[in-house]
């Protein structure tokens, strides 16, 4: 049978006083709401979501598949302690090699307080702490990230889709041998 593999990765960096002080990479969970949206837009004629945003959270939270745009803000304790007036836009380039990313235009937020950031999510609503829109994915970072006033958090999100052929071993059934006459 043929299967499709879908997955995303958040690449993060913290820049303090012009120098990168930390870099990391963490795989995400594409949540049920995001998967349903992907299928509806691609095959069911639902309206395309043309702009996405990256939010970050300060709660010690591990995303689950059932979290939605309506629940991520409270469940994860979304952080709003950055200078930008909205969540930071995810400005992706066109897909290439079955991958889409914002590597050329990292989402950058400048913090205005000391915070501990546990993870990030990709959502269609721009307002900080919004409970509307569609949540696509979320990730808890491998280690919490400490930021202070004027630190910049630079986030890249890459999403890849790949066709994967899975061979299955056929189980043999007992065959009768042809009659010899």
């Amino acid at each position: 049978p043929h299967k499709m593999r879908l997955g995303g990765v958040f690449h993060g960096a913290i820049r303090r006083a012009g120098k990168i002080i930390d870099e990391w990479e963490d795989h995400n969970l594409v949540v049920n709401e995001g998967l349903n949206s992907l299928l509806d837009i691609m095959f069911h004629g639902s309206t395309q979501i043309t702009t996405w945003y990256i939010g970050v959270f300060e709660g010690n939270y591990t995303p689950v598949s059932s979290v939605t745009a309506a629940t991520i803000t409270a469940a994860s304790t979304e952080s709003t302690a950055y200078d930008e007036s909205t969540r930071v836009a995810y400005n992706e380039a066109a897909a290439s090699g079955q991958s889409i990313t914002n590597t050329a235009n990292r989402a950058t937020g400048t913090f205005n307080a000391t915070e501990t950031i546990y993870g990030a999510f990709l959502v269609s609503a721009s307002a900080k702490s919004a409970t509307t829109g569609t949540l696509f994915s979320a990730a808890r970072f491998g280690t919490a990230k400490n930021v202070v006033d004027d630190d910049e958090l630079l986030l890249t999100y890459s999403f890849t889709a790949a066709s994967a052929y899975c061979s299955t071993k056929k189980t043999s059934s007992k065959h009768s041998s042809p009659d010899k006459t």
Side-chain angles (χ1 to χ4, degrees):
H2 290 280
K3 295 184 178 188
M4 179 180 272
R5 295 183 350 194
L6 304 171
V9 176
F10 279 96
H11 303 269
I14 297 172
R15 184 167 45 209
R16 181 175 293 159
K19 294 181 182 177
I20 299 293
I21 62 166
D22 191 8
E23 290 186 82
W24 66 94
E25 178 178 292
D26 288 291
H27 291 273
N28 76 151
L29 171 68
V30 179
V31 300
N32 295 344
E33 183 174 58
L35 291 171
N36 286 336
S37 178
L38 179 72
L39 293 169
D40 279 344
I41 291 167
M42 190 67 196
F43 298 107
H44 190 63
S46 293
T47 303
Q48 176 187 4
I49 299 168
T50 58
T51 308
W52 292 91
Y53 301 88
I54 294 180
V56 294
F57 56 90
E58 59 190 53
N60 187 0
Y61 171 74
T62 300
V64 295
S65 60
S66 61
V67 70
T68 66
T71 62
I72 188 78
T73 296
S76 69
T77 313
E78 181 179 357
S79 175
T80 60
Y82 49 95
D83 294 340
E84 292 69 22
S85 60
T86 65
R87 292 171 174 154
V88 181
Y90 172 72
N91 294 314
E92 78 287 349
S96 175
Q98 298 76 52
S99 185
I100 196 161
T101 184
N102 67 325
T103 299
N105 192 7
R106 294 185 288 187
T108 304
T110 305
F111 281 85
N112 56 29
T114 298
E115 292 285 333
T116 301
I117 302 299
Y118 284 89
F121 55 90
L122 187 68
V123 66
S124 66
S126 65
K128 292 178 181 179
S129 298
T131 56
T132 58
T134 300
L135 178 67
F136 186 74
S137 67
R140 179 187 169 105
F141 300 150
T143 57
K145 305 301 172 183
N146 296 310
V147 295
V148 298
D149 187 22
D150 291 329
D151 277 359
E152 292 176 301
L153 177 60
L154 299 87
L155 289 171
T156 300
Y157 180 67
S158 301
F159 182 74
T160 302
S163 181
Y165 179 75
C166 298
S167 65
T168 57
K169 187 175 183 178
K170 291 184 180 181
T171 57
S172 60
S173 59
K174 193 173 188 178
H175 296 286
S176 59
S177 45
D179 288 342
K180 293 184 181 179
T181 56

